[in-house]
């Protein structure tokens, strides 16, 4: 049954991705605010399809921590699910910092590029960081949220990657509020897996952290400490055999 549902969902996902990918080419004539509202219909359809077809439900913990101003969200990354869901969760349009290769994916990449994300070349080192600082500050000034996955890639459930400093450096540079986010989407939508499992995803939003008076290293450590502690609250059974 899981295989059948996952197959149906993959077909459903592919159809709407092609439709909205083609549509994105025509949206360029509209203001960004219109483009954002139209493109994120795709996100709503996919999250709805994951729920109805695959039985993937979700709940939000700490929604009251979402600030009423543009902020930098530093989030756990386990699955494609959260990248689809985040544009629906926060109170304003958002910008992902992502590898530029994603823009080259047919249909999906076209839609991504149409809403002015920050695409970087990970191999360019310092130039990539300067681009994040410059464009990230600009997006925040435009009253847009920014989402960065500090571990850099999807991490399997129960594991932890190295928390890179890029997001914390941007926050200190722009002096913007930082919101840590923990989640367990990988329980239902595993990393690089075809099969989607029914279940309840929890997205936990932490208290705002002010970068004032903190170095990037100190800020990054606070984010890591909160996220990793929260992961053990969300799924204690997974971490039961690990040292705290």
């Amino acid at each position: 049954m899981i295989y059948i549902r996952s197959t149906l969902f993959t077909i459903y996902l592919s159809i709407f991705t092609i439709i909205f990918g083609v549509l994105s080419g025509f949206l360029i004539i509209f203001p960004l605010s219109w483009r954002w509202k139209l493109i994120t219909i795709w996100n709503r359809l996919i999250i709805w399809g994951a729920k109805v077809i695959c039985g993937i439900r979700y709940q939000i913990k700490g929604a009251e921590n979402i600030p009423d101003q543009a902020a930098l969200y530093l989030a756990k990354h386990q699955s494609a699910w959260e990248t689809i869901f985040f544009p629906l969760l926060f109170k304003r349009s958002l910008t992902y910092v992502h590898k530029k290769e994603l823009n080259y994916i047919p249909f999906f990449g076209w839609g991504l590029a149409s809403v002015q994300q920050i695409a970087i070349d990970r191999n360019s080192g310092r130039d990539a960081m300067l681009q994040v600082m410059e464009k990230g500050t600009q997006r925040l000034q435009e009253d847009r949220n920014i989402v960065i996955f500090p571990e850099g890639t999807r991490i399997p459930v129960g594991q932890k990657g190295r928390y890179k400093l890029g997001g914390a450096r941007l926050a200190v540079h722009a002096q913007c509020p930082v919101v840590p986010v923990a989640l367990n989407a990988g329980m239902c939508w595993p990393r690089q897996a075809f099969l989607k499992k029914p279940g309840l995803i929890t997205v936990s939003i932490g208290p705002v952290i002010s970068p004032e008076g903190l170095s990037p290293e100190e800020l990054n450590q606070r984010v890591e400490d909160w996220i990793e502690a929260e992961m053990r609250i969300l799924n204690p059974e997974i971490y039961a055999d690990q040292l705290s």
Side-chain angles (χ1 to χ4, degrees):
M1 181 60 73
I2 290 179
Y3 179 82
I4 294 173
R5 288 185 174 187
S6 297
T7 301
L8 290 174
F9 178 71
T10 299
I11 295 171
Y12 175 91
L13 172 64
S14 299
I15 290 172
F16 280 107
T17 300
I18 291 171
I19 291 172
F20 278 84
V22 173
L23 179 63
S24 66
F26 298 96
L27 294 180
I28 198 67
I29 63 174
F30 295 104
L32 177 62
S33 59
W34 290 25
R35 275 182 272 158
W36 180 258
K37 290 178 181 178
L38 291 169
I39 283 293
T40 51
I41 293 174
W42 176 86
N43 300 71
R44 296 183 188 280
L45 288 168
I46 302 310
I47 294 299
W48 179 85
K51 178 181 177 180
V52 172
I53 300 172
C54 299
I56 299 176
R57 299 167 292 116
Y58 66 86
Q59 63 180 1
I60 308 301
K61 178 182 177 183
E64 67 278 5
N65 291 324
I66 298 176
D68 290 323
Q69 66 183 99
L72 171 61
Y73 294 81
L74 296 180
K76 194 74 174 176
H77 194 18
Q78 292 185 341
S79 159
W81 183 89
E82 60 265 18
T83 63
I84 300 170
F85 179 69
F86 282 167
L88 308 179
L89 175 60
F90 304 125
K91 296 179 179 179
R92 48 186 41 78
S93 68
L94 63 80
T95 297
Y96 282 111
V97 176
H98 64 85
K99 58 184 180 181
K100 68 177 184 179
E101 288 81 4
L102 292 181
N103 284 349
Y104 305 147
I105 298 175
F107 304 109
F108 173 79
W110 305 344
L112 195 63
S114 73
V115 284
Q116 296 181 357
Q117 307 296 284
I118 302 175
I120 62 171
D121 181 355
R122 289 181 174 177
N123 296 320
S124 61
R126 179 174 173 78
D127 288 342
M129 189 65 245
L130 290 174
Q131 184 180 13
V132 170
M133 302 278 270
E134 178 184 349
K135 291 192 175 181
T137 301
Q138 179 183 346
R139 296 291 183 267
L140 289 163
Q141 291 172 347
E142 294 168 350
D143 198 36
R144 299 181 67 187
N145 290 318
I146 296 177
V147 173
I148 294 178
F149 300 113
E151 292 167 288
T153 188
R154 289 170 289 179
I155 302 296
V157 175
Q159 297 183 26
K160 178 174 80 72
R162 181 174 69 87
Y163 280 64
K164 300 176 180 65
L165 282 170
R169 284 176 176 154
L170 170 60
V172 170
H173 174 76
Q175 285 296 293
C176 67
V178 174
V179 183
V181 182
L183 53 89
N184 56 3
M187 300 291 293
C188 297
W189 190 319
R191 176 177 178 262
Q192 297 178 342
F194 172 76
L195 297 179
K196 311 296 187 291
K197 304 172 185 178
L200 179 65
I201 293 171
T202 300
V203 177
S204 183
I205 303 166
V208 172
I209 302 173
S210 170
E212 185 176 357
L214 298 178
S215 68
E217 291 79 9
E218 291 169 333
L219 177 57
N220 199 51
Q221 192 61 56
R222 290 195 185 187
V223 169
E224 178 178 347
D225 289 346
W226 187 89
I227 291 177
E228 293 304 321
E230 185 68 9
M231 293 302 299
R232 285 157 174 76
I233 294 173
L234 297 184
N235 291 102
E237 71 283 358
I238 294 178
Y239 297 92
D241 59 347
Q242 299 182 20
L243 294 176
S244 59

